[in-house]
Amino acid sequence: EVDSEIEALRKTKPDLIAAHAGVEASQALVKAARAEYWPKIYFATEVSYLGARSFLGLGPSALNASVGVQLSLPLYTGGRLGAKEARDQAQAEKILHERTQLDFETAQKLRLSLSQLDAGVRASWVAKKNRDASQEEVRLATLRFKTGAASGLDVRNAHN
C-alpha cells in the first residue's frame, strides 16, 4: 500500500518529478561525454558561381563545386575528455544521491502520516468504546436505582 502511494507521489509531486528528470539529464551528459571518444565524420559541400566577366570583358563564367568528407578521431586530448567524463559522472552521482534522499524523505513523511492517521483512527475507536462503556454504566446505574439497589448518588456518579 505504501509503495503504491510513493509511486503515485513520484508521478505527481513536482519536486520528485524534477529530481527524476535531473537524474535522467545528468546520465545523458555522461553518455555525451563518453561519446566524445568516438570518431566523428563530417560531410561538406560547396557550390560557387562566378557569372561576371572580367573588367576587360574577357573570360568565361565559372561554376565551381566541391564535396568533402572529414574524419575526426581524438588521439590525444590531454585528459580533457576523461576529466569531463569524470566531472559529469560525479555530478550524475550527486544528483542521483539527492533524488534518492528526496525519495527516502518523502517515503518517511508518507509513512509517518499514515501511522499518525492510523493512530488517530485507533484513538477514535477507543474513545467510542469508552463512550459506549460509560453509557452502559449509566444505564446499569439507572436500572439499579429504579429497582432500589442503588442510590441517586450512584446514578449521578455514573453520569460523571
Side-chain angles (χ1 to χ4, degrees):
E1 176 187 326
V2 173
D3 292 334
S4 63
E5 291 294 326
I6 292 171
E7 203 53 45
L9 284 174
R10 283 185 184 138
K11 294 176 183 174
T12 58
K13 198 170 181 211
D15 54 342
L16 291 177
I17 293 170
H20 285 269
V23 169
E24 291 173 7
S26 65
Q27 289 171 344
L29 284 175
V30 171
K31 287 180 184 178
R34 289 182 182 148
E36 291 289 323
Y37 290 107
W38 291 94
K40 292 163 190 57
I41 299 175
Y42 302 97
F43 296 99
T45 60
E46 180 182 341
V47 176
S48 63
Y49 175 74
L50 181 62
R53 299 198 180 261
S54 67
F55 68 93
L56 296 175
L58 305 173
S61 299
L63 176 65
N64 293 319
S66 64
V67 175
V69 177
Q70 178 185 6
L71 176 66
S72 171
L73 178 65
L75 298 176
Y76 177 73
T77 62
R80 178 183 58 83
L81 295 180
K84 182 178 183 325
E85 180 183 356
R87 184 186 70 233
D88 290 345
Q89 183 66 37
Q91 182 69 18
E93 288 173 8
K94 178 185 172 200
I95 291 172
L96 179 62
H97 173 73
E98 289 170 355
R99 186 207 67 189
T100 304
Q101 182 69 27
L102 187 59
D103 280 349
F104 177 75
E105 288 171 4
T106 302
Q108 286 299 97
K109 287 178 184 176
L110 178 64
R111 285 186 177 96
L112 178 62
S113 296
L114 289 175
S115 66
Q116 288 173 342
L117 177 64
D118 185 54
V121 167
R122 290 174 188 264
S124 173
W125 181 83
V126 168
K128 181 184 179 303
K129 291 297 180 183
N130 284 338
R131 185 198 69 205
D132 293 346
S134 294
Q135 287 174 342
E136 182 64 15
E137 186 179 349
V138 167
R139 187 184 73 78
L140 290 175
T142 304
L143 284 176
R144 282 195 306 269
F145 176 74
K146 286 181 182 178
T147 59
S151 67
L153 187 58
D154 290 336
V155 175
R156 195 175 125 236
N157 287 341
H159 276 286
N160 291 337

